[in-house]
Amino acid sequence: QFFSPELAQELDIDPSLLEGREREITVLFSDIRGFSRLSENMAPRDVCSLVRDVMEHLSSKIREHEGVVVDYVGDGLLAMWNAPREQADHAVLACRAALAMQESLPALNLIWEKRLGQKLALGIGINTGPALVGNIGSMRKFKYGPLGHSVNIASRVEGATKTWGVSILMTEETQQRLGDAEFARRRLGTIRALGMVRPTVLFELHSDKITQEWAEMQRTYEEALGLFERRQWAECCRAI
């Protein structure tokens, strides 16, 4: 009940994993858009039923793509890749999981849209970077998961999906580790997240298929973004 079969197996082989190890991981945060507003007019039992159903669907997609579900917090979920076992393509796996989570929404909406009076939507943020992975709980409450600046960034990136109006955002660090994997993605811009000193470059993750229409839109947008960043306002407007 406390560990996934994969984690239990890894801990059985090497119990020192609990002590914490530094390694590069890919972290994913997600939450239900507008959850506070949705739950305001629902009975507590219905809220619990909604969250349980959503988390079950999302967790299954993470497990299908070899991720570890670290924690549930309210309507939010934290998952990671490349721990406890090494995964050379951890960034690719996380991105595929995020797209699969997004694709699971129609099935959820078949069940919940009439009851909620609107469609369910997700915000997903992904970041790759170093973290300490181990028991981040206490002697009284065990929790295997990651701690570090890269985890905080992933959380801020998920929050930024509300401002940018897109479902899935990833950082430049994740984007750089995708290699030749075919994903429809575009550089959206740069933010300085709340409480952070260094800026973060954000990319939208749209699909695992690059259509001609998307490729043209990406080229035009990124060209205009470059002009905007060089303060060439008129040229930017013409490109858009």
Side-chain angles (χ1 to χ4, degrees):
Q1 290 184 19
F2 290 96
F3 309 112
S4 68
E6 294 83 2
L7 179 55
Q9 185 179 28
E10 293 293 329
L11 292 172
D12 188 44
I13 296 169
D14 185 4
S16 68
L17 285 171
L18 299 182
E19 297 169 8
R21 295 183 179 179
E22 286 192 34
R23 66 191 311 167
E24 181 181 89
I25 60 171
T26 296
V27 185
L28 179 152
F29 276 89
S30 77
D31 75 359
I32 302 171
R33 280 285 157 266
F35 179 74
S36 297
R37 191 167 58 253
L38 284 173
S39 60
E40 188 175 6
N41 298 314
M42 296 173 67
R45 187 179 299 276
D46 291 333
V47 173
C48 289
S49 180
L50 169 64
V51 171
R52 187 184 306 115
D53 199 14
V54 171
M55 294 305 154
E56 180 63 33
H57 275 75
L58 302 187
S59 298
S60 68
K61 300 306 177 185
I62 290 166
R63 293 289 296 277
E64 284 171 17
H65 292 85
E66 304 174 44
V68 173
V69 178
V70 176
D71 205 0
Y72 304 112
V73 182
D75 64 309
L77 174 153
L78 165 60
M80 68 177 177
W81 283 259
N82 207 34
R85 66 166 58 118
E86 292 187 9
Q87 297 163 304
D89 56 347
H90 52 93
V92 172
L93 288 169
C95 288
R96 287 180 178 153
L99 291 169
M101 290 162 68
Q102 192 67 29
E103 290 166 4
S104 71
L105 286 176
L108 282 165
N109 281 316
L110 281 175
I111 302 169
W112 287 98
E113 186 176 359
K114 285 185 179 180
R115 295 169 67 177
L116 298 173
Q118 65 181 74
K119 291 182 181 293
L120 286 166
L122 294 176
I124 301 173
I126 308 170
N127 181 46
T128 301
L132 183 72
V133 184
N135 180 15
I136 60 173
S138 66
M139 297 299 292
R140 296 178 182 272
K141 175 68 175 176
F142 178 90
K143 184 165 75 172
Y144 181 84
L147 273 180
H149 180 64
S150 58
V151 182
N152 297 336
I153 290 177
S155 175
R156 300 291 197 279
V157 170
E158 186 277 316
T161 59
K162 302 172 188 176
T163 304
W164 289 89
V166 298
S167 299
I168 307 173
L169 285 174
M170 62 181 174
T171 63
E172 185 174 31
E173 287 72 22
T174 299
Q175 143 75 14
Q176 290 173 344
R177 287 161 179 78
L178 296 182
D180 297 329
E182 185 173 288
F183 290 107
R185 59 205 192 246
R186 60 171 170 160
R187 186 171 71 93
L188 279 187
T190 305
I191 65 166
R192 180 167 291 141
L194 184 65
M196 306 289 181
V197 175
R198 291 192 298 273
T200 301
V201 181
L202 296 181
F203 286 75
E204 176 186 6
L205 178 62
H206 177 71
S207 172
D208 59 357
K209 296 178 180 64
I210 302 175
T211 63
Q212 184 176 350
E213 181 182 11
W214 171 268
E216 178 62 23
M217 189 276 291
Q218 175 197 357
R219 184 196 64 76
T220 303
Y221 179 88
E222 290 186 350
E223 176 189 338
L225 178 60
L227 292 166
F228 177 84
E229 290 170 337
R230 295 192 294 275
R231 306 174 71 84
Q232 296 175 243
W233 315 126
E235 293 86 343
C236 174
C237 290
R238 278 194 289 272
I240 289 290

